[in-house]
Amino acid sequence: MKAQVLHSYDDDLTAKSWLSYEDVPDPVISKGSDVIVRIGGAGVCRTDLHVIEGTWRPHMDPHGNTLLPIILGHENAGWIEELGPEVEGLQRGDPVILHPKITDTNVLRRHSEDMHGAGPLPGLDRNGGFAEAMVTSARSLVSLPKSLPPKEVAPYANAGLTAYRAAKRATQKLLPGQTCAIIGAGGLGHIAIQIVRAMSAAEIIVIDSNHASLQLAAECGADHLVKADGGEVDAVMSLTKGNGAEAVLDFVGETGTTSKGLAMTRQAGSYYIVGYGEDIRVSAFDLVINEKNIIGNLVGTWAELSELMELAHRGLVQLETQEFDLADANTALRALLEGKIKGRAVLVP
Ligand SMILES: [Zn+2]
């Protein structure tokens, strides 16, 4: 089959291209619970750029380049091609979206936090979906209704799921009349706006430095748009009568958004951090006297992915996607690096 393969890291992302489009052996079933999925679409993610530049190397590949070569792609959806002998209840041809983690077979985990257990992450530590097909475990699959074609929903597997978990946590506390500030209206942020809109009656303020992203935020249901030009904390304070927002969702997590995000969080409010790149610096005194909560968010559970598919099926969340041929993976990655993707890029074999 054809696949996009990473052969070497590129610390400063200055190479002309990073992945090589080549023929590789077809994936094979090696465990009874394995499933081969024919890829319908694979989302292109900032995490792919982080893998390429070696950010994940100390964690995933500490002993030299033992991880390479690898096929990236951790936001995958497609159709079941082949089932391992232990798999029940699924059929060849079923459309599915893939939870990014392969969890163990302890059924109790199903109701718990899939992403914290041990287990491989296809596209990060074994071959993923920038290919015509890939292997995962039957436990990772969420069946798709006919209303949701795989290539149109693939980015929900990770970007959407991450946005969903953070936005769901915020909406579980947000009351009508309260405010949710969302920093960053890119691939994750534009999904989060719709989720907060669908699951709460809070006012939504969206902050972004990019004009096109703010336009997308307005289409997604934002009540107020704030251009990130240095005055964003003041703007949010004035929109909230000097109080700040009860919930702040930060999808950027670098270039100073963490201190600004905390500054625009109301007393006893919660700052949900999703994007990463800088350290959060705050004095214990400030946290105590203001009773602010800082909450980390990692992907989401299998159950949350199926909840998100319900929202998508009902038309309450829609993905803005830009389609690229699998052969053009490097073009898509470069467009993402240069901030030229509106919504989310998807590779289609
Ligand atoms: Zn991702």
Side-chain angles (χ1 to χ4, degrees):
M1 66 167 185
K2 288 284 187 192
Q4 289 281 3
V5 184
L6 177 70
H7 287 278
S8 60
Y9 297 108
D10 178 22
D11 297 353
D12 45 9
L13 295 176
T14 51
K16 266 195 178 147
S17 63
W18 301 291
L19 306 182
S20 113
Y21 191 49
E22 51 194 67
D23 286 304
V24 300
D26 287 342
V28 290
I29 300 270
S30 56
K31 284 170 72 179
S33 55
D34 280 353
V35 174
I36 294 174
V37 175
R38 182 160 58 86
I39 298 295
V44 180
C45 181
R46 193 150 289 277
T47 295
D48 297 313
L49 289 169
H50 288 321
V51 172
I52 292 167
E53 68 188 342
T55 309
W56 286 65
R57 207 166 162 181
H59 181 60
M60 294 289 198
D61 196 7
H63 309 296
N65 294 354
T66 52
L67 194 65
L68 306 181
I70 185 173
I71 301 168
L72 301 185
H74 59 273
E75 308 193 342
N76 306 304
W79 301 270
I80 293 175
E81 178 84 16
E82 199 182 327
L83 298 159
E86 291 167 18
V87 181
E88 293 174 357
L90 295 168
Q91 288 192 346
R92 188 167 190 270
D94 284 353
V96 286
I97 186 165
L98 283 62
H99 188 278
K101 184 141 193 157
I102 295 176
T103 52
D104 60 44
T105 49
N106 175 356
V107 178
L108 289 174
R109 285 210 86 85
R110 183 85 308 165
H111 301 289
S112 179
E113 313 285 292
D114 301 87
M115 59 283 178
H116 294 310
L121 290 157
L124 292 166
D125 60 6
R126 66 163 64 177
N127 286 338
F130 289 178
E132 289 179 294
M134 64 172 278
V135 180
T136 187
S137 139
R139 285 172 53 83
S140 305
L141 303 180
V142 172
S143 294
L144 288 173
K146 284 203 168 67
S147 59
L148 302 176
K151 70 176 180 182
E152 289 178 22
V153 297
Y156 284 135
N158 174 237
L161 181 55
T162 305
Y164 179 74
R165 180 173 177 82
K168 174 184 162 185
R169 285 168 141 183
T171 59
Q172 283 172 338
K173 285 190 177 174
L174 280 167
L175 300 171
Q178 296 188 331
T179 303
C180 180
I182 295 177
I183 303 172
L188 275 73
H190 91 283
I191 304 169
I193 296 163
Q194 299 173 69
I195 293 165
V196 173
R197 175 57 69 238
M199 293 172 63
S200 84
E203 288 260 310
I204 301 173
I205 302 172
V206 177
I207 302 118
D208 201 296
S209 57
N210 182 297
H211 180 69
S213 297
L214 285 176
Q215 259 183 320
L216 178 59
E219 289 162 25
C220 290
D223 296 300
H224 306 281
L225 306 175
V226 172
K227 177 105 180 166
D229 56 5
E232 52 268 43
V233 175
D234 289 343
V236 172
M237 294 314 277
S238 105
L239 285 167
T240 54
K241 302 186 177 72
N243 294 316
E246 282 79 6
V248 176
L249 295 166
D250 187 350
F251 291 102
V252 180
E254 55 190 2
T255 62
T257 64
T258 58
S259 59
K260 287 175 185 160
L262 273 168
M264 64 178 73
T265 303
R266 186 180 180 142
Q267 285 182 321
S270 296
Y271 168 74
Y272 300 85
I273 178 73
V274 185
Y276 55 90
E278 68 185 16
D279 292 342
I280 297 176
R281 295 190 187 280
V282 60
S283 78
F285 181 74
D286 278 349
L287 278 190
V288 169
I289 60 163
N290 291 309
E291 286 201 318
K292 289 185 185 181
N293 307 293
I294 300 176
I295 298 164
N297 299 274
L298 178 70
V299 204
T301 65
W302 180 93
E304 285 167 338
L305 181 57
S306 61
E307 290 160 25
L308 176 59
M309 289 305 97
E310 277 300 321
L311 285 182
H313 175 54
R314 286 162 178 254
L316 294 170
V317 188
Q318 275 161 7
L319 260 180
E320 175 83 21
T321 58
Q322 214 170 310
E323 220 177 286
F324 291 83
D325 195 282
L326 175 62
D328 300 326
N330 288 296
T331 312
L333 284 164
R334 183 156 308 280
L336 175 64
L337 180 64
E338 293 173 355
K340 291 178 181 160
I341 300 289
K342 189 181 175 197
R344 206 74 181 163
V346 176
L347 298 181
V348 179

